[in-house]
Amino acid sequence: MPPETRPAVAVDQARLWERHLEMARIGGTPRGGVNRQALTPEDAQARALLARWGAALGLDASLDPIGNLFLRRPGQDASAPPVLTGSHLDTQPSGGRFDGTYGVLAGLEAIEAIGRVGIETRRPLELVVWTNEEGCRFAPGCMGSRAFAEPGLLDRLLAARDLDGIRVAEALHEVRTALPSTVAPCGLGGPVAAYVEAHIEQGPELEAAGRVIGLVTGIQGRRRILIEVHGEDGHAGTLPRRRRKDALSAAVAMIQALEVLMHDPGDTVRFTVGRVVVSPNAPSVVPGHVLFTIDLRHPEGGTLMRLGDAVETVCRRHVGPCTVSVTDVSLTMPIRFEGLVPDTVRTVSESLGLPSMPIASGAGHDAENLHRVCPTGMLFVPCEGGISHNEAESAKPEDLAAGAQVLARVLVELAGPAGGRRG
Ligand code: GLV
Ligand code: MN
Ligand code: MN
């Protein structure tokens, strides 16, 4: 067997699948999904489980100042920047078993397989769990990788609050106490030799094409905007319409007008109002306050900016007797993956008889931030019916294993053979 094929062969489909099932019990929902939001006790428990699995393989755990968890397999050259792989363990409130978790467990499986066949690499390999990828409890999403890529943002990100007013800095306590054996905190920002992230596709294209490996060409841009409508609480029975400052009526008018603004006959624009918080949310009170979120995505930066910039004008036009504030929460421009990592994924997939299919990512990923600091790429595996951010999310054990096989060999290629050239 050629030496470079050995780690792929050592990938254990059953072990990888069982770990998904075990991980899914943490925050598991009655309908078979997972609710494991960022920096909750469940998130901490999931990381602790991963750290135990890692410790059994001799991987040392460490946390950085925003709680990104690193499990390190030493390389022959301790001073060489590591090759990173991983994803996230946090989920949406009605999330599935594979979004994020797959990239973490595929990374663990790949590192275990590399160890089992006795391959030493020149560079260290690090499995990373990024903090708060989903951006549900705390915004913005991809928070941990964002701080890693741009350490100057750390204080601002640590100050972000959830709907109960809890700051990221406070919630990090959960994670720190769940990982008592963690060694001294490591820094942000690298250096990193390369980053490769495996993920389920979260769309239908691979399944429709009957292909197993998606070579991710890039990630579309996205903007998160927060709208707050301020009116006045009032008695539902006594307050005449002409004297009401009904924040919900204004918010509904705004959302309808935004739907018109975002209408796209080509169906490329992705516009979602996913959260509406009505206060006081009581049947007999005219709502005095509404908060809603806009998640806007587009593969072209110019269109993303044009549509996002028009949001405030549209909201002001429909504000009625209320007032409105429009806040840009985050902006990520579209990116493309090119060069070392996608080239390696393509070559390795082909050599394993799993030719890859180029595919653009509609979802956001931590790789979009790593892309700013090191050669970066992603590979996708199919998920059933393209269903994701849904408790019904599913994937085939053999596809998950195939992705881990590719990942294992890609990691060996990127980390270089022990005794290889310096650099
Ligand atoms: C990631 O979960 C996203 O919303 O794209
Ligand atoms: Mn994800
Ligand atoms: Mn997700």
Side-chain angles (χ1 to χ4, degrees), residues 87-88 90 98-101 133-134 197 199-200 202 363-366 388-389:
S87 192
H88 59 100
D90 66 314
F98 304 96
D99 174 4
T101 301
E133 190 272 354
E134 294 289 4
E197 178 167 350
H199 208 282
I200 57 164
Q202 304 180 280
H365 300 285
D366 293 300
S388 188
H389 284 190

Side-chain angles (χ1 to χ4, degrees), residues 7-8 11 106 109-111 113-114 403-413:
V11 162
E109 183 59 39
I111 291 175
I114 291 166
Q405 288 179 333
V406 173
L407 183 63
R409 272 199 53 187
V410 167
L411 290 176
V412 170
E413 292 287 329

Side-chain angles (χ1 to χ4, degrees), residues 64-348:
D64 72 10
I66 196 147
N68 296 319
L69 170 63
F70 297 84
L71 302 181
R72 184 178 172 98
R73 178 183 198 260
Q76 188 197 45
D77 181 353
S79 65
V83 172
L84 259 55
T85 188
S87 192
H88 59 100
L89 288 173
D90 66 314
T91 73
Q92 295 289 335
S94 57
R97 296 173 293 171
F98 304 96
D99 174 4
T101 301
Y102 172 60
V104 173
L105 296 184
L108 183 71
E109 183 59 39
I111 291 175
E112 177 154 7
I114 291 166
R116 280 184 187 262
V117 295
I119 291 184
E120 269 195 73
T121 55
R122 188 176 73 71
R123 298 181 183 283
L125 292 173
E126 290 190 12
L127 176 62
V128 55
V129 179
W130 301 109
T131 293
N132 183 33
E133 190 272 354
E134 294 289 4
C136 178
R137 178 179 176 198
F138 298 103
C142 294
M143 185 179 268
S145 55
R146 191 173 289 237
F148 187 82
E150 200 176 338
L153 291 178
L154 179 65
D155 288 343
R156 214 182 82 198
L157 297 173
L158 289 173
R161 291 179 190 272
D162 68 8
L163 288 174
D164 297 323
I166 298 171
R167 288 181 304 128
V168 169
E170 297 163 272
L172 272 170
H173 178 73
E174 291 289 348
V175 166
R176 293 199 200 291
T177 49
L179 294 160
S181 61
T182 292
V183 298
C186 53
L188 297 166
V192 177
Y195 176 67
V196 54
E197 178 167 350
H199 208 282
I200 57 164
E201 180 198 337
Q202 304 180 280
E205 293 181 36
L206 288 171
E207 191 180 65
R211 301 287 275 272
V212 177
I213 302 296
L215 179 66
V216 184
T217 54
I219 301 181
Q220 69 175 340
R222 67 184 196 277
R223 259 174 111 161
R224 175 87 72 86
I225 303 173
L226 178 70
I227 318 288
E228 277 192 86
V229 187
H230 302 272
E232 205 171 271
D233 293 1
H235 195 296
T238 59
L239 195 61
R241 171 150 291 282
R242 65 177 184 283
R243 285 187 44 204
R244 291 187 181 202
K245 292 184 180 173
D246 183 332
L248 183 56
S249 291
V252 167
M254 290 173 194
I255 293 169
Q256 276 175 339
L258 288 168
E259 289 281 2
V260 173
L261 169 73
M262 303 294 173
H263 178 72
D264 168 22
D267 206 8
T268 305
V269 173
R270 301 278 185 268
F271 167 74
T272 306
V273 174
R275 170 179 287 158
V276 179
V277 182
V278 180
S279 302
N281 209 22
S284 299
V285 183
V286 175
H289 184 258
V290 170
L291 167 161
F292 68 93
T293 54
I294 293 174
D295 181 314
L296 176 64
R297 312 198 191 197
H298 201 277
E300 288 155 24
T303 309
L304 182 72
M305 294 312 289
R306 179 175 59 76
L307 290 174
D309 289 350
V311 164
E312 180 157 0
T313 308
V314 169
C315 289
R316 294 207 178 283
R317 204 176 290 147
H318 293 86
V319 74
C322 302
T323 59
V324 66
S325 62
V326 177
T327 311
D328 258 291
V329 176
S330 61
L331 166 66
T332 309
M333 294 303 272
I335 58 151
R336 286 191 64 74
F337 295 122
E338 282 163 331
L340 177 69
V341 180
D343 289 351
T344 309
V345 172
R346 186 187 306 106
T347 315
V348 162

Side-chain angles (χ1 to χ4, degrees), residues 335-406:
I335 58 151
R336 286 191 64 74
F337 295 122
E338 282 163 331
L340 177 69
V341 180
D343 289 351
T344 309
V345 172
R346 186 187 306 106
T347 315
V348 162
S349 305
E350 227 154 77
S351 70
L352 287 174
L354 297 162
S356 60
M357 175 174 128
I359 189 166
S361 177
H365 300 285
D366 293 300
E368 72 203 20
N369 288 319
L370 271 289
H371 172 261
R372 293 155 62 191
V373 296
C374 65
T376 293
M378 293 189 71
L379 67 93
F380 280 169
V381 295
C383 63
E384 238 175 76
I387 295 168
S388 188
H389 284 190
N390 186 316
E391 290 166 284
E393 187 178 83
S394 191
K396 291 193 187 126
E398 58 271 28
D399 292 346
L400 301 178
Q405 288 179 333
V406 173

